[in-house]
Amino acid sequence: MNTYMNDVVFEMFSYFDTGKNPARPDPERFYHGLVLGLMVDLADRYIITSNRESGFGRYDIFLEPRREVDMAFIMGFKVHNPKREKGLEETVRAALEQIGAKGYVSALKTRGILPGRIRKYGFAFAGKQVLIGQAGQ
């Protein structure tokens, strides 16, 4: 997934799409839309929701499985902030920590999805660089 995302961003997007354009200063929204758009093909297997409340906050994207054999996914996005994080790895950790700290899994648990079937992914963005990490199981 890391290679795919980086290839898409590198080949298809302008540097200005990633938040360097004063007319579009919020790169997190741009990347959010990109990832959400890539998920559309999964709509037959997943209920895809975005920016909904769960626990003590608002998650970025949920993929809730329509079948009991599939995993659920929670995705959190962060734009790298060099004042707070040394690199994209720390940004990924911050995204994953937010998923846990805010209790985003609560909406999925309420629907009967057991914790062992929930995967958590943190996405870190810095210009045309992307890093995706998964929380330990």
Side-chain angles (χ1 to χ4, degrees):
M1 185 64 159
N2 273 305
T3 302
Y4 176 71
M5 282 294 295
N6 277 286
D7 287 348
V8 168
V9 170
F10 185 76
E11 294 296 325
M12 296 182 68
F13 301 126
S14 163
Y15 177 74
F16 291 100
D17 289 331
T18 63
K20 303 305 179 191
N21 181 347
R24 273 195 266 150
D26 189 355
E28 194 162 346
R29 289 178 191 249
F30 173 78
Y31 286 115
H32 187 118
L34 164 68
V35 175
L36 193 56
L38 293 172
M39 300 292 144
V40 169
D41 281 346
L42 298 173
D44 61 329
R45 290 180 53 202
Y46 291 92
I47 299 166
I48 303 166
T49 55
S50 170
N51 281 320
R52 304 270 175 86
E53 289 184 15
S54 182
F56 297 104
R58 222 178 38 225
Y59 58 82
D60 288 307
I61 295 177
F62 262 16
L63 290 150
E64 181 183 341
R66 295 181 185 275
R67 304 177 311 176
E68 288 190 28
V69 296
D70 289 327
M71 295 289 172
F73 298 92
I74 301 172
M75 297 174 202
F77 307 137
K78 290 275 185 206
V79 174
H80 174 67
N81 182 338
K83 293 178 183 175
R84 287 193 308 240
E85 303 131 1
K86 292 179 184 173
L88 289 179
E89 294 83 7
E90 284 189 19
T91 308
V92 166
R93 276 195 298 277
L96 293 170
E97 286 170 7
Q98 181 174 327
I99 290 169
K102 298 287 185 174
Y104 294 160
V105 299
S106 66
L108 293 171
K109 286 182 180 178
T110 299
R111 292 180 181 97
I113 299 172
L114 299 175
R117 289 186 49 223
I118 301 171
R119 300 290 179 257
K120 302 166 199 154
Y121 287 92
F123 288 63
F125 305 102
K128 291 178 80 170
Q129 294 182 327
V130 179
L131 183 64
I132 304 166
Q134 181 180 1
Q137 299 181 21

